[in-house]
Amino acid sequence: MDEALNDLGDHIAARLGDKIDGWSVDFGQLTVTVPAAEIVPVVRFLRDDANCLFICFTDLSGADYPGRERRFEIVYHLLSPQQNQRIRLKVATDEETPVPSITPIFPGAHWFEREAYDLYGVLFTGHPDLRRLLTDYGFEGHPLRKDFPLTGFVEVRYDDELKRVVYEPVRLTQEFRNFDFLSPWEGPDYVLPGDEKAGG
């Protein structure tokens, strides 16, 4: 399996040259690192080349690495039923640098790119309708960024008197909450029901 993936990686590197930054075989899957500006020609090549035929777009996701200069990684997964192979493409970007949309090649990437924009703030140029997908209208921030606060900025509730949904700033009534729900992981100093049967 790894030999076939290495052969495929060599073929892609030979044909694409400086359009890719490199490739490796990790955990039984070929991973190709691509500069953001080259993602469209690389994806088109992978779809159309007779030795690749990655005609099935399966996934696009994001990852946030705040310590890196280009903190976001956009990860694409493609499938070649003809070759019975999968491939992973990685593109690194930052808050300001947009990534070209692959929707002209794979229309199924439409909502995936919208999701990455909504949750990470990554911009996709050439996308036909780049707007939020999962968060509400007027939502501030991008919830899957590592620097997004765990509580969010606003809370939403239905007000029975006003008969509508209201948005209010988050108010934490305690700085720290310490709950003990009889969890053995908390190390309680009492015997939990049933523990007496263990006979330690």
Side-chain angles (χ1 to χ4, degrees):
M1 182 72 156
D2 282 358
E3 185 179 338
L5 293 175
N6 285 320
D7 291 343
L8 183 59
D10 287 335
H11 171 74
I12 292 169
R15 294 294 302 274
L16 293 177
D18 59 358
K19 288 189 184 299
I20 65 170
D21 289 333
W23 64 273
S24 64
V25 176
D26 303 306
F27 306 107
Q29 189 168 353
L30 177 62
T31 301
V32 179
T33 308
V34 183
E38 301 294 343
I39 190 63
V40 171
V42 168
V43 168
R44 185 176 288 115
F45 168 82
L46 292 174
R47 183 194 65 184
D48 298 340
D49 182 75
N51 291 328
C52 297
L53 297 175
F54 288 96
I55 61 171
C56 184
F57 167 81
T58 57
D59 187 33
L60 180 154
S61 60
D64 183 13
Y65 302 96
R68 296 182 183 174
E69 184 179 347
R70 292 180 296 169
R71 68 184 280 184
F72 301 114
E73 214 169 62
I74 302 301
V75 183
Y76 304 79
H77 290 103
L78 305 175
L79 169 68
S80 173
Q82 181 79 20
Q83 307 294 342
N84 192 24
Q85 298 283 359
R86 295 180 185 275
I87 192 168
R88 177 187 302 119
L89 307 174
K90 291 186 176 181
V91 172
T93 188
D94 55 29
E95 289 100 331
E96 287 86 31
T97 308
V99 177
S101 173
I102 65 165
T103 53
I105 302 165
F106 290 113
H110 183 105
W111 278 25
F112 290 89
E113 290 178 351
R114 280 182 61 185
E115 181 183 34
Y117 162 69
D118 189 4
L119 301 181
Y120 291 99
V122 175
L123 298 169
F124 292 90
T125 56
H127 191 281
D129 185 22
L130 192 63
R131 58 191 165 98
R132 290 189 180 269
L133 179 67
L134 299 172
T135 56
D136 204 359
Y137 299 107
F139 188 89
E140 293 180 25
H142 303 281
L144 287 187
R145 287 187 178 185
K146 296 283 175 70
D147 53 5
F148 189 80
L150 293 177
T151 59
F153 298 110
V154 296
E155 57 187 359
V156 182
R157 67 176 178 83
Y158 181 78
D159 190 305
D160 212 20
E161 291 177 10
L162 297 174
K163 301 291 186 209
R164 65 179 179 90
V165 174
V166 295
Y167 297 83
E168 298 171 333
V170 172
R171 291 186 312 272
L172 298 178
T173 56
Q174 293 172 277
E175 187 66 31
F176 177 73
R177 299 174 185 147
N178 186 15
F179 299 107
D180 181 5
F181 294 111
L182 301 177
S183 167
W185 301 105
E186 300 296 326
D189 55 1
Y190 44 81
V191 177
L192 293 172
D195 280 358
E196 69 278 356
K197 298 175 188 173

